[in-house]
């Protein structure tokens, strides 16, 4: 890792200014008695450093996403979130794909009132992010669950959201696995690795039961006490290409989803399998490696360490072919030996069947040939070396 700390994010400063400009013309919820908290990597009581303890990455709704596409009026969204690190808490909202400002609040976190510049409500500008004040009250423990209730007076218009967190939340009392507008919980108590996982459905948690917190980033956080792990996995996401349902590719969303996080030290890139198996299939390994290289350059420019992961086997999946497996192996050889990343997590080696290296080990297969089961997710977490994250 370079000696530079993560750079101050100019894009967040501009976004905050945009929110403030909208708020001037908006009705005031309450008088503001206190100063705003810092939006940089440090702030809060005693100048403690903020790090993202829980996160999710957004996509735009499609016609099949009824709630997100329609939006809410006088709606209440309640999220139950598993934190990695603990400490004092603040929340982060975003509407990356929104076309109009959205009024946020009142909001509670762990039953305590959340404010924005001292007010119970705030306007979230279209395309912008919004960070709360530090929440008053006791520090939250690491590895605990935090319930966040967000009132949305609306009408909101279509909502930026994460389709499936593999955890139960509610919108107007009805269960959902989606998260609307809320993108992060930041804390002051991280004293271990601070990591973002830029990933696909495997990182998101496909192959693990809902509400079990057995996704490999969760299991990694439990292996590393004091760590803050931001899971930015999106099912179906690719490195190179965008998709209307599965969101902007890793290259397109890197600045917004990764570089905007406070206190970040390392980014682990877990993308590539969908570039191979989703049409149009990417069959030129040089294109994928060039995409990785660009992410590494952008991360290093921000003072971040990079960990690359090899692409896991997927024979048995409906779109697997021997030709695609050859491309996968070519990419993996380059990742292992090409000194492209600062370090490598050999996910292929962790999950493959030694007798049939193009397949997942049966004990790790969720049943579809591509997504690992909880034991497979544990093997992925074990394949990440703590020394590569510091």
């Amino acid at each position: 890792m370079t000696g530079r700390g993560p750079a101050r994010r100019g894009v967040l400063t501009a976004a905050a200014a945009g929110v403030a400009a909208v708020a001037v013309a908006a009705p005031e919820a309450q008088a503001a008695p206190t100063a705003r908290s810092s939006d940089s990597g440090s702030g809060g009581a005693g100048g403690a450093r903020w790090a993202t303890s829980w996160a999710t990455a957004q996509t735009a709704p499609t016609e099949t996403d009824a709630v997100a596409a329609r939006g809410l009026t006088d709606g209440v969204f309640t999220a139950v979130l598993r934190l990695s690190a603990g400490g004092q808490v603040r929340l982060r909202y975003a509407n990356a794909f929104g076309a109009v400002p959205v009024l946020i609040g009142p909001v509670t976190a762990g039953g305590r009132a959340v404010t924005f510049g001292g007010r119970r409500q705030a306007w979230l500008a279209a395309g912008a992010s919004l960070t709360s004040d530090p929440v008053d009250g006791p520090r939250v423990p690491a590895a605990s669950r935090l319930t966040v209730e967000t009132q949305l007076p609306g009408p909101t218009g279509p909502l930026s959201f994460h389709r499936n967190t593999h955890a139960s939340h509610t919108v107007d009392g009805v269960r959902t696995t989606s998260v609307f507008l809320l993108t992060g919980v930041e804390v002051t108590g991280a004293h271990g690795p601070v990591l973002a996982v830029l990933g696909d459905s495997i990182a998101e948690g496909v192959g693990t039961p809902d509400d079990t917190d057995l996704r490999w980033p969760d299991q990694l956080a439990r292996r590393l006490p004091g760590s803050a792990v931001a899971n930015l996995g999106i099912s179906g996401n690719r490195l190179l290409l965008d998709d209307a349902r599965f969101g902007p590719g890793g290259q397109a969303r890197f600045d917004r989803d990764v570089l905007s996080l406070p206190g970040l030290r390392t980014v682990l890139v877990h993308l590539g399998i969908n570039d191979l198996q989703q049409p149009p299939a990417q069959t030129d390994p040089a294109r994928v490696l060039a995409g990785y290289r660009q992410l590494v350059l952008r991360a290093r420019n921000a003072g971040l360490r990079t960990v690359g992961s090899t692409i896991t086997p997927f024979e048995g999946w409906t779109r697997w072919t021997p030709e695609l497996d050859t491309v996968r192996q070519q990419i993996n050889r380059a990742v292992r030996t090409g000194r492209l990343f600062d370090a490598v997590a050999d996910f292929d080696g962790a999950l493959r069947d030694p007798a049939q290296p193009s397949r997942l080990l049966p004990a790790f297969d969720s049943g579809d040939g591509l997504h690992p089961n909880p034991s497979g997710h544990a093997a992925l977490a074990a394949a990440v070396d703590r020394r590569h994250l510091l």
Side-chain angles (χ1 to χ4, degrees), residues 67 234 251 344 368:
V67 174
I234 299 176
Q251 292 189 111
V344 174
D368 63 14

Side-chain angles (χ1 to χ4, degrees), residues 246-305:
F246 303 133
Q251 292 189 111
R253 67 186 180 100
F254 188 75
D255 290 16
R256 180 182 64 245
D257 288 352
V258 175
L259 297 188
S260 63
L261 300 182
L264 190 63
R265 297 177 187 172
T266 306
V267 55
L268 190 151
V269 179
H270 187 189
L271 292 170
I273 196 166
N274 290 322
D275 295 80
L276 301 184
Q277 65 87 20
Q278 280 183 187
Q282 177 56 62
T283 58
D284 181 359
R287 288 283 304 279
V288 175
L289 294 170
Y292 289 153
R293 189 172 294 109
Q294 286 302 309
L295 294 186
V296 170
L297 289 172
R298 288 156 70 184
R300 288 175 177 168
N301 286 341
L304 301 180
R305 183 175 179 81

Side-chain angles (χ1 to χ4, degrees), residues 24-103:
V24 169
E28 300 288 335
Q30 292 184 4
T34 59
R36 297 179 188 271
S37 64
S38 169
D39 283 338
S40 67
S42 60
R49 190 169 187 83
W50 293 98
T52 301
S53 180
W54 173 91
T56 195
Q58 293 184 333
T59 59
T62 65
E63 292 181 358
T64 61
D65 302 306
V67 174
R70 182 178 65 247
L72 297 172
T73 299
D74 295 324
V76 179
F77 169 62
T78 302
V80 181
L81 314 172
R82 182 196 178 278
L83 305 184
S84 45
Q88 190 175 22
V89 164
R90 68 183 186 185
L91 307 181
R92 189 181 192 198
Y93 292 84
N95 198 11
F97 304 95
V100 297
V102 176
L103 185 60

Side-chain angles (χ1 to χ4, degrees), residues 202 272-278 281-282 311-329 331-332 348 351-353 356-361 365 368-372:
I202 299 176
I273 196 166
N274 290 322
D275 295 80
L276 301 184
Q277 65 87 20
Q278 280 183 187
Q282 177 56 62
I311 301 175
T312 51
F314 63 100
E315 183 177 356
W317 180 251
T318 180
R319 288 190 286 268
W320 182 88
T321 68
E323 293 75 19
L324 291 180
D325 197 66
T326 297
V327 177
R328 181 184 70 88
Q329 293 182 41
I331 293 170
N332 285 349
D348 170 46
L351 294 189
R352 71 186 178 213
D353 184 347
Q356 293 181 283
S358 59
R359 288 183 175 269
L360 297 174
L361 191 71
D365 189 350
D368 63 14
L370 188 151
H371 299 100

